[in-house]
């Protein structure tokens, strides 16, 4: 079925097509000048002394809160299920610790997985703006990796640096789109930026070179993205667990020389990289840590939860508590449901949170 | 949440499909897919990306172990066996391709074989065929939920979107999960879907298939342990619909009595003759035909007399690569494949080695290649064509066009050529007993008592000649 054309006649319609030649290849951007390369360089060059005292203080609060919610999270059903899965399908491995279980250790990525699940199991973990739960994706991975490093265990400053790199990268990536500034509708943010943050943090802790750091991010991009529909289900904590695990995995694979797209963060028309996860996307390079770089945590503090529920619930609960105070004063009075005729709640339009009578 | 019962119908269908619903047509086609997949997986076990993944995977401990294709001594935890074997299958871009576009078998078969080796129920060949076809069918159904899926992709690499769902469905079938558990396997798998296209044409691309296999298997296992996800995952736009710009799902029904219409019966699969992106097959066939014309008129083919080569191809950025630097880029380059075909009069496995990519004669020819994307050339594997036109210094012009390459679903590989491709691939790693054993077992799969016997043959490497004799069993 191979048809032929006349030897000497060149069809006229061919002229309308696009013309490309090898010369065009020379006009591609210098590989060192890309957004992706700037991220690789930042991760490999940043040092503990680049952390200001405010960033140190804020990130220590995050670490403490994250460990706490992870520990109480280790008492949940979903954590137990995830742990049993790992112990059954794999086997105990005397490397990385598991939250709340003295006798159990797992191989590093699996420990990162279950500890990440624990952290997000009660929706009790920290929330940032733009919205994501940054610590749960990073801390379990960094802890698991620290347990794995054979001879030179990381110092406190190295550990905090890696943690902050993981947070910073997440914040920067979320600023690439307007979509990320609103409560999400398509992809659950921790599954998008959390994996990238974990990869960055682990690449930093492993002291990978700038090229390996870039590839760690690119490998992680292929492991990112989970739909919002699984939020408000038992699977949601796995989004954080997997972000942590797969980011660590990406960094480990990069350390073995695995390579991926050198343009994953840059917006290349017709071939989606990290921009696959967003409707609008404008990436910016990350400046060198020596060039007046300021960590986002310096400018944008973290939200910690007082009770284990989606962040939006905290506004509603505080408002309801204020109404309660108006009704019964500051004493130990109660409001009887029969006294309440109607309570219209005004809240932003968020489908997944509008559950009149939740089933679980 | 508006539930149209679509996810529910998938759970019910996966559970309800049984071996009586398998038709001769679908068995025959799926056995060809299995054989081809094993072959490309075996030759893929020689690649650098496979070795990196294998080294990484060996750091995990487990009680249950599954075979690594092409390795006589190494076993891995089942999810990681699925991971590395899936990577091997896609490592050279040599595996099957369907329409709408995806590589369906690599996401499913490695997961099923890894799982089958550990199940106390010891599934038969027919059980394997059923689970395999469930995995393929689910992928085909999901691909028809959007128009976007019908064209060559731009955002997400399809195997990473539908492959993990197929693997979850197939694994759920082999594990005989309840309808509710099947639903949750799909829901859990959806949270593992979606890798961006930018990693195609890189060393990470094979991991998209490896991870699809692995994570689909894990999703089914987690569902078996009672983990739940969103039971309307296929129904709602914030579920599986996030991966597509237009999304219109429909239910899957299995008639209680009477025939089930498998998609594989309506839409056959393409097998590759060259370890490169499917689009390259058109351009190579056209280039070889144009070269033949040049050879007919000029007695000595002097390629230095070529002034310009024009390729008329569909628009697809990730396979438009004028000067590939790596083997991965070379497999995704219209320009490279056309030039290799013109220079060597063939394109084979060895055309993509570093030495071959860096040949000065090839680079010189590449500098003369020009790509055009005519408006009538649609970026769909069902509709595209390729034209190659050679212009010489003397002003002569030789052109040829390929509408359907040999191996495409419209022009399927003969059984002889399919088995031949498998033999060449498998022989790079296995001894002849292993090669022939696999041809025999797959050829008679519907009569095989225990499908895990495939694992024994997949480990009969040629460096272990004594093993070929000691492990002979039926």
């Amino acid at each position: 079925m191979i048809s032929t054309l006349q030897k000497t006649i060149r069809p006229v319609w061919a002229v309308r097509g696009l013309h490309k030649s090898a010369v065009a290849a020379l006009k591609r951007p210098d590989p060192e000048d890309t957004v992706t390369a700037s991220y690789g360089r930042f991760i490999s060059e940043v040092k503990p002394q680049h952390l200001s005292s405010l960033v140190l203080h804020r990130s220590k609060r995050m670490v403490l809160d994250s460990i706490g919610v992870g520990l109480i999270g280790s008492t949940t059903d979903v954590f137990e299920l995830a742990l049993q899965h790992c112990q059954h399908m794999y086997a105990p491995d005397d490397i990385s610790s598991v939250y709340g279980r003295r006798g159990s250790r797992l191989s590093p990525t699996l420990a990162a997985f279950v500890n990440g699940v624990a952290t997000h199991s009660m929706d009790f973990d920290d929330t940032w703006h733009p919205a994501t739960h940054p610590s749960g994706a990073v801390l379990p991975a960094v802890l698991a990796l620290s347990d794995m490093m054979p001879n030179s265990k990381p110092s406190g400053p190295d550990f905090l640096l890696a943690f902050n790199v993981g947070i910073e990268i997440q914040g920067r990536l979320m600023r690439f789109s307007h979509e990320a500034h609103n409560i999400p509708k398509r992809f659950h943010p921790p599954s998008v930026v959390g994996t990238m943050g974990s990869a960055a943090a682990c690449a930093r802790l492993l002291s990978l070179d700038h090229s390996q750091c870039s590839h760690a991010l690119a490998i992680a991009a292929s492991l990112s993205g989970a739909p919002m529909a699984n939020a408000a289900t038992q699977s949601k904590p796995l989004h954080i667990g997997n972000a942590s695990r797969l980011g660590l995995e990406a960094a480990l694979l990069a350390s073995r020389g695995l390579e991926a797209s050198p343009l994953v963060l840059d917006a290349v028309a017709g071939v989606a990289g990290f921009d696959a996860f967003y409707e609008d996307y404008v990436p910016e390079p990350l400046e060198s840590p020596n060039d007046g770089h300021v960590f986002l945590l310096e400018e944008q503090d973290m939200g910690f939860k007082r009770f284990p529920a989606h962040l939006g619930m905290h506004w509603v609960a505080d408002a309801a508590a204020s109404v309660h105070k108006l009704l019964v004063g500051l004493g130990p009075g109660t409001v009887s449901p029969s006294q309440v005729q109607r309570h219209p709640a005004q809240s932003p339009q968020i489908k997944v949170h509008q559950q009149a009578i939740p089933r679980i | 949440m508006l539930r149209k019962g679509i996810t529910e119908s998938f759970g019910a269908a996966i559970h309800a499909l049984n071996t009586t619903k398998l038709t001769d047509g679908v068995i025959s086609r799926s056995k060809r897919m299995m054989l081809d997949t094993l072959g490309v997986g075996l030759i893929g076990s020689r690649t650098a990306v496979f070795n990196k993944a294998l080294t990484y995977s060996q750091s995990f401990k487990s009680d249950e172990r599954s075979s690594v294709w092409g390795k006589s001594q190494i076993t891995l935890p089942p999810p990681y066996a699925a991971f590395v074997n899936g990577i091997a299958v896609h490592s050279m871009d040599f595996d099957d391709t369907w329409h709408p576009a995806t590589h369906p078998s690599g996401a499913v078969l490695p997961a099923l074989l890894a799982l089958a080796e550990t199940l106390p129920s010891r599934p038969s060949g027919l059980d394997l065929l059923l689970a395999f076809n469930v995995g393929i069918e689910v992928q085909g159904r999901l691909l028809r939920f959007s128009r976007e899926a019908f064209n060559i992709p731009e955002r997400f690499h399809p195997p990473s979107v539908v492959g993990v769902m197929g693997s979850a469905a197939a694994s759920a079938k082999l594990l005989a999960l309840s309808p509710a558990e099947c639903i949750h396997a799909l829901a859990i798998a959806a949270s593992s879907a979606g890798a961006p296209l930018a990693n195609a044409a890189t060393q990470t691309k094979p991991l998209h298939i490896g991870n699809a296999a692995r994570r689909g298997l894990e999703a089914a296992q987690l569902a078996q342990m009672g983990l739940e996800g969103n039971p309307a995952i296929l129904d709602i736009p914030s579920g599986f619909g996030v991966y597509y710009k237009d999304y219109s799902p429909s239910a899957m029904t299995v008639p209680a009595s009477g025939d089930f219409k498998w998609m594989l019966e309506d839409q056959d699969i393409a097998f590759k003759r060259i370890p490169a992106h499917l689009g390259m097959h058109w351009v190579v066939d056209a280039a070889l035909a144009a070269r033949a014309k040049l050879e007919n008129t000029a007695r000595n083919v002097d390629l230095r007399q070529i002034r310009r080569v024009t390729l008329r191809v569909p628009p697809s950025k990730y396979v438009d690569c004028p000067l590939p630097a790596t083997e991965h880029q070379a497999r995704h380059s219209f320009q490279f494949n056309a030039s290799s075909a013109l220079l060597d009069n063939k394109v084979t496995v060895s055309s993509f080695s570093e030495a071959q990519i860096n040949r000065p004669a090839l680079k010189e020819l590449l500098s003369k290649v020009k790509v055009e994307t005519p408006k009538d050339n649609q970026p769909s594997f069902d509709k595209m064509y390729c034209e190659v036109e050679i212009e010489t210094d003397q002003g002569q012009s030789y052109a040829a066009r390929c509408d359907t390459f040999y191996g495409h679903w419209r022009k399927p590989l003969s059984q002889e050529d399919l088995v031949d491709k498998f033999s060449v691939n498998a022989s790079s790693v296995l001894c002849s007993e292993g090669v022939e054993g696999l041809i025999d077992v797959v050829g008679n799969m519907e009569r095989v008592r225990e499908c895990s016997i495939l694992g024994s043959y997949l480990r009969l490497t040629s460096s272990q000649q004594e093993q070929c004799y000691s492990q002979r069993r039926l």
Side-chain angles (χ1 to χ4, degrees):
Chain A
M1 239 181 286
I2 297 174
S3 60
T4 60
L5 297 173
Q6 290 299 317
K7 252 196 258 184
T8 48
I9 299 171
R10 283 168 62 204
V12 172
W13 51 254
V15 178
R16 280 200 260 127
L18 287 169
H19 291 242
K20 290 179 188 135
S21 67
V23 176
L26 297 173
K27 296 201 190 116
R28 270 195 241 138
D30 179 352
E32 295 311 300
D33 248 339
T34 59
V35 172
T36 311
S38 76
Y39 272 66
R41 275 196 302 274
F42 176 87
I43 296 167
S44 65
E45 287 170 10
V46 72
K47 295 180 172 32
Q49 54 258 42
H50 292 122
L51 297 170
S52 70
S53 49
L54 181 57
V55 164
L56 279 172
H57 172 71
R58 285 180 168 172
S59 57
K60 285 193 284 188
R61 280 159 58 92
M62 288 158 70
V63 171
L64 189 67
D65 184 72
S66 191
I67 291 175
V69 305
L71 286 169
I72 193 173
S74 72
T75 63
T76 59
D77 284 345
V78 64
F79 171 82
E80 188 60 43
L81 190 157
L83 180 60
Q84 276 183 30
H85 168 78
C86 290
Q87 289 174 322
H88 176 73
M89 283 314 306
Y90 305 94
D93 197 355
D94 195 28
I95 303 185
S96 300
S97 308
V98 170
Y99 283 165
R101 299 295 160 98
R102 192 195 296 259
S104 309
R105 280 182 176 247
L106 292 170
S107 70
T109 57
L110 299 177
F113 174 62
V114 303
N115 291 337
V117 168
T119 306
H120 201 41
S121 59
M122 298 167 70
D123 227 314
F124 210 177
D125 44 330
D126 56 20
T127 312
W128 213 11
H129 176 69
T132 196
H133 305 291
S135 301
V138 175
L139 187 62
V142 173
L143 286 173
L145 186 55
S146 304
D147 279 338
M148 177 184 141
M149 290 165 79
N151 299 313
S152 52
K153 296 285 183 191
S155 65
D158 287 333
F159 179 89
L160 279 170
L161 176 65
F163 179 78
N164 276 290
V165 165
I167 304 304
E168 175 73 2
I169 276 7
Q170 293 185 64
R172 293 278 167 178
L173 291 177
M174 284 190 292
R175 278 154 176 77
F176 285 177
S177 74
H178 290 113
E179 184 182 339
H181 279 70
N182 296 325
I183 293 174
K185 287 186 190 176
R186 283 194 319 145
F187 291 102
H188 189 213
S191 72
V192 181
V193 297
T195 320
M196 307 294 278
S198 169
C202 296
R204 174 61 253 152
L205 200 62
L206 287 167
S207 299
L208 301 186
D209 68 39
H210 70 92
S211 167
Q212 290 170 317
C213 289
S214 285
H215 287 302
L217 289 177
I219 297 164
S222 274
L223 299 164
S224 297
M228 276 308 291
N230 276 333
T233 77
Q234 201 190 29
S235 280
K236 188 187 188 196
L238 271 73
H239 292 183
I240 288 274
N242 275 323
S244 203
R245 152 161 81 154
L246 297 170
L248 169 54
E249 185 169 286
L252 290 171
L253 287 165
S255 75
R256 293 193 179 281
L258 186 70
E259 300 188 343
S261 169
L263 292 169
V264 72
L265 297 182
D266 298 74
V268 177
V271 186
F274 189 65
D275 56 309
F277 301 108
Y278 296 103
E279 310 267 73
D280 67 296
Y281 185 83
V282 181
E284 296 283 343
L286 194 48
E287 65 267 13
S288 157
N290 299 309
D291 264 345
H293 167 266
V294 176
F295 279 81
L296 289 168
L297 193 57
E298 184 102 32
E299 295 166 349
Q300 172 65 63
D301 201 356
M302 191 62 52
F304 296 109
K305 292 180 175 175
R306 283 173 16 251
F307 53 86
H310 182 273
L311 200 73
M313 308 306 110
H314 286 63
W315 275 269
V316 138
D318 271 14
S322 301
V323 171
H324 177 102
K325 246 187 278 191
L326 288 174
L327 283 174
V328 299
L330 288 164
T334 53
V335 177
S336 156
S338 57
Q339 284 179 289
V340 181
Q341 195 174 54
R342 242 173 15 130
H343 64 114
Q346 270 195 350
S347 57
Q349 189 64 260
I350 308 164
K351 276 211 75 178
V352 73
H353 303 135
Q354 289 173 358
Q355 303 251 27
I357 301 175
R359 279 174 13 259
I360 47 162
Chain B
M1 237 182 292
L2 184 63
R3 261 208 253 178
K4 302 169 221 156
I6 291 164
T7 315
E8 214 173 307
S9 76
F10 270 70
I14 294 167
H15 174 79
L17 282 166
N18 57 47
T19 52
T20 63
K21 300 290 187 199
L22 290 171
T23 64
D24 287 341
V26 93
I27 288 177
S28 154
R29 283 184 173 175
S30 54
K31 286 196 300 186
R32 281 162 58 94
M33 289 157 74
M34 284 187 181
L35 189 69
D36 186 70
T37 302
L38 292 175
V40 306
L42 285 166
I43 194 175
S45 71
R46 289 293 186 78
T47 56
V49 59
F50 172 84
N51 281 310
K52 285 176 186 171
L54 180 63
T55 310
Y56 169 73
S57 300
Q58 284 175 297
S59 59
F60 293 93
K61 288 190 186 161
S62 68
D63 296 323
E64 290 176 333
R65 312 291 291 187
S66 299
S67 302
V68 176
W69 304 356
K71 298 283 174 192
S72 59
Q73 310 286 9
I74 303 173
T75 57
L76 287 175
Y80 282 92
F83 178 58
V84 305
N85 291 330
I87 287 172
V89 168
H90 201 40
S91 59
M92 297 165 71
D93 228 310
F94 213 177
D95 45 329
D96 56 23
T97 312
W98 211 12
H99 178 68
T102 195
H103 305 292
S105 302
V108 173
L109 190 62
L112 290 177
L113 291 188
L115 186 56
E117 285 186 291
T118 67
L119 288 179
S121 59
R122 314 206 78 88
S124 65
L126 208 53
D127 292 331
L128 180 69
L129 275 168
L130 175 64
F132 180 80
N133 278 292
V134 165
I136 303 302
E137 177 75 11
V138 165
Q139 293 184 66
R141 296 242 167 195
L142 294 177
L143 286 165
R144 280 159 175 73
F145 283 179
S146 74
R147 285 188 306 278
E148 186 180 340
F150 279 78
N151 295 327
I152 294 176
E154 285 190 355
R155 279 196 319 148
F156 291 106
H157 188 213
S160 70
V161 180
V162 298
V164 67
M165 308 295 279
S167 169
S171 303
K173 185 72 237 169
L174 202 66
L175 287 166
L177 301 189
S178 70
E181 287 169 337
C182 289
I183 288 173
H184 288 298
L186 290 176
I188 298 162
S191 276
S192 295
L197 198 61
N199 276 334
T202 77
Q203 200 182 40
T204 287
K205 187 188 188 194
L207 271 72
H208 293 182
I209 288 273
N211 275 321
R214 154 165 78 143
R215 303 184 72 194
L217 169 56
E218 281 184 344
Q221 287 171 325
L222 285 164
Q224 188 181 43
M225 297 180 89
L227 185 70
E228 300 188 347
N230 191 322
I233 192 77
L234 298 181
D235 297 68
I236 51 183
S238 63
F240 191 68
V242 299
Y243 300 107
Y244 297 103
K245 292 197 170 125
D246 68 300
Y247 183 72
S248 182
S250 50
M252 179 175 176
T253 43
V254 178
S257 56
D259 297 335
F260 177 74
K261 203 70 171 74
W262 298 87
M263 289 196 152
L264 188 57
E265 278 191 297
D266 269 341
Q267 171 67 62
D268 201 358
I269 207 133
F271 294 111
K272 293 180 175 177
R273 279 163 30 244
I274 305 160
H277 181 273
L278 201 74
M280 309 305 109
H281 288 66
W282 277 269
V283 98
V284 165
D285 272 14
L288 292 175
R291 190 187 193 280
K293 287 187 189 177
L294 176 62
E295 240 179 342
N296 269 337
T297 48
R299 242 169 306 133
N300 294 317
V301 175
D302 187 357
L303 296 174
R304 285 169 303 172
Q305 286 177 0
I306 293 179
R307 182 173 62 197
R308 188 156 61 186
V309 177
T310 306
L311 308 180
R312 295 185 186 103
V313 298
S316 180
K317 275 228 76 179
Y318 77 110
V319 285
D320 175 359
C321 185
L323 273 175
T326 66
E327 76 176 84
H328 304 282
Q329 286 180 335
R331 301 187 201 281
H332 296 77
S333 165
F334 281 129
Q335 296 91 330
F336 177 85
N337 283 276
S339 303
S340 286
L342 290 175
L343 203 55
D344 307 326
N345 205 18
K346 63 181 179 205
V347 181
T348 65
V349 168
S350 36
S351 304
F352 299 90
S353 70
E354 204 177 321
Q356 292 290 85
I357 292 172
N358 289 317
R359 285 180 290 168
L362 181 69
K363 288 189 167 174
E364 202 200 312
L365 191 52
L366 276 172
S367 68
K368 300 174 185 172
V369 175
K370 186 183 73 175
V371 165
E372 292 174 1
T373 54
K375 271 206 174 112
D376 72 341
N377 204 345
Q378 294 179 45
S380 150
F381 291 140
D382 202 41
K383 300 201 164 102
M384 63 176 276
Y385 65 86
C386 282
E387 272 177 22
V388 173
E389 184 174 358
I390 307 168
E391 285 161 60
T392 65
D393 287 328
Q394 293 80 38
Q396 308 262 255
S397 193
Y398 306 90
R401 170 176 169 139
C402 174
D403 287 302
T404 306
F405 66 87
Y406 178 48
H408 190 270
W409 45 83
R410 288 193 296 263
K411 201 193 235 180
L413 281 192
S414 67
Q415 190 61 18
E416 194 185 326
D417 285 339
L418 183 88
V419 172
D420 197 52
K421 176 189 171 187
F422 168 80
S423 299
V424 170
N425 286 339
S427 303
S428 66
V429 174
L430 300 184
C431 65
S432 59
E433 169 123 1
V435 176
E436 278 149 33
L438 285 171
I439 294 173
D440 191 41
V441 171
V442 175
N444 292 294
M445 184 62 76
E446 63 270 44
R447 288 174 281 279
V448 164
R449 228 173 338 120
E450 275 183 38
C451 64
S452 55
I453 193 173
L454 283 169
S456 335
Y457 286 111
L458 287 163
R459 292 202 296 272
L460 287 182
T461 54
S462 53
S463 54
Q464 310 278 328
Q465 283 298 339
E466 308 85 61
Q467 267 201 342
C468 287
Y469 293 94
S470 66
Q471 283 198 9
R472 184 176 300 169
R473 63 176 196 266
L474 255 173

